[in-house]
Amino acid sequence: MNTADTFIEQLSHHLKQFSGVQRQDILDEIASHFEAGQNDPQLGSTPEERKTNLMNEMGSPSELGQGLRNVYRPNRLVDFLLVFIPVYLLFPLVVPLLLLSGKTQIKWEHPATIYIYFPLLNVFAGILDPGCALPADLADVQPAALDKLERRPKQPGVVYRSAWAGVCHGTLPV
Amino acid sequence: MTSIDQLRKGSTPVLLMAVLAGGRMYGYQIMRECENRSQGYFTMTAALLYPALHQFEQDGLVVADWQDGPGKRRRKYYTLTDAGRKALTEHRSTWEEFTAHLFQALNTPAPEER
């Protein structure tokens, strides 16, 4: 196995989080880089000289892999979950603190209050029943706005759009 | 990383865009063109070049297409888009302004020399 093949094999190892097609495209591109360099007289007069110079200007496979991972972020779902899960788990602690601070008032007897504690349920409710109208954000959950929490059937002829606002999901007529 | 390396890295995007403004090119060709244009001063590694090109592609500054090369391998060619040309203009003016102010500051005599 020559040095170019070794480089590509090592790079492939650093791209294992990429999809098969994406990884193959990148490896093909780098392989064509090697091919172009090995045939370029500007890099040296002998194949050995060209190979040495070419390897010197490649950088390391890990550096290249890291650069490409920074561009495509193939782990973005994991990154998202690492942020989302703690936020979701800690959210019920935030609401009582908000209540204690006196900055918000929620009618606890209202069944839709559960959506405030468990926003993921709200997301599913919005997806399963796009006709239900829920507040677009926590600031709307004031006593005066609680009427908005009531589920309303979709009106014929009305265009609905999803409103994602961090913690709550609802569908609001446009 | 030395300060000159940092400067080189910082100037990579504008340099690559300037090279691509000359026409559709593949990675190895872009690398050589950067080197030739600067008489060998701006050399870059593939580890710096390809992530930058792929970032351009993600940002819509270039479009890429594959074409069979003279050898066994297909080649990925990059073409600067209109957004890329606009970005090049902006980068170029930013660098011109930066270097003009830098040299103005460097060439201004110290207070006791005035």
Side-chain angles (χ1 to χ4, degrees), chain B residues 28-46:
Chain B
Y28 182 81
Q29 196 180 9
I30 295 167
M31 186 186 261
R32 291 280 82 84
E33 184 63 18
C34 281
E35 198 177 312
N36 293 340
R37 281 187 182 206
S38 63
Q39 282 92 43
Y41 185 78
F42 285 107
T43 56
M44 65 179 74
T45 62

Side-chain angles (χ1 to χ4, degrees), chain B residues 92-110:
Chain B
R92 192 191 292 267
S93 63
T94 302
W95 273 99
E96 280 170 355
E97 191 182 346
F98 173 79
T99 50
H101 282 95
L102 177 67
F103 283 105
Q104 185 184 22
L106 289 176
N107 296 328
T108 301

Side-chain angles (χ1 to χ4, degrees), chain A residues 5 8 24-26 28-33 35-37 40 42-43 54 56-60 63-64 67-68 70-72 76, chain B residues 26-28 31-32 35-36 44-55 57-58 66 69-76 78:
Chain A
D5 290 336
I8 288 170
Q24 194 53 53
D25 279 353
I26 292 168
D28 281 357
E29 186 174 21
I30 301 304
S32 81
H33 183 102
E35 189 182 66
D40 184 4
Q42 191 180 332
L43 270 191
L54 189 56
N56 287 341
E57 64 181 25
M58 285 307 290
S60 71
E63 192 186 357
L64 178 53
L68 291 165
N70 288 343
V71 173
Y72 292 105
R76 76 178 76 179
Chain B
Y26 55 94
Y28 182 81
M31 186 186 261
R32 291 280 82 84
E35 198 177 312
N36 293 340
M44 65 179 74
T45 62
L48 186 61
L49 172 72
Y50 287 100
L53 290 174
H54 283 239
Q55 186 66 62
E57 194 182 357
Q58 291 290 302
W66 290 92
K72 288 186 288 184
R73 304 287 183 180
R74 56 184 184 144
R75 281 178 177 167
K76 189 176 182 182
Y78 295 91

Side-chain angles (χ1 to χ4, degrees), chain A residues 123-134 151-154 169 171:
Chain A
V123 172
F124 290 136
I127 292 168
L128 294 174
D129 181 9
C132 69
L134 296 171
R151 296 157 67 85
R152 296 196 300 261
K154 260 184 167 177
H169 172 270
T171 51

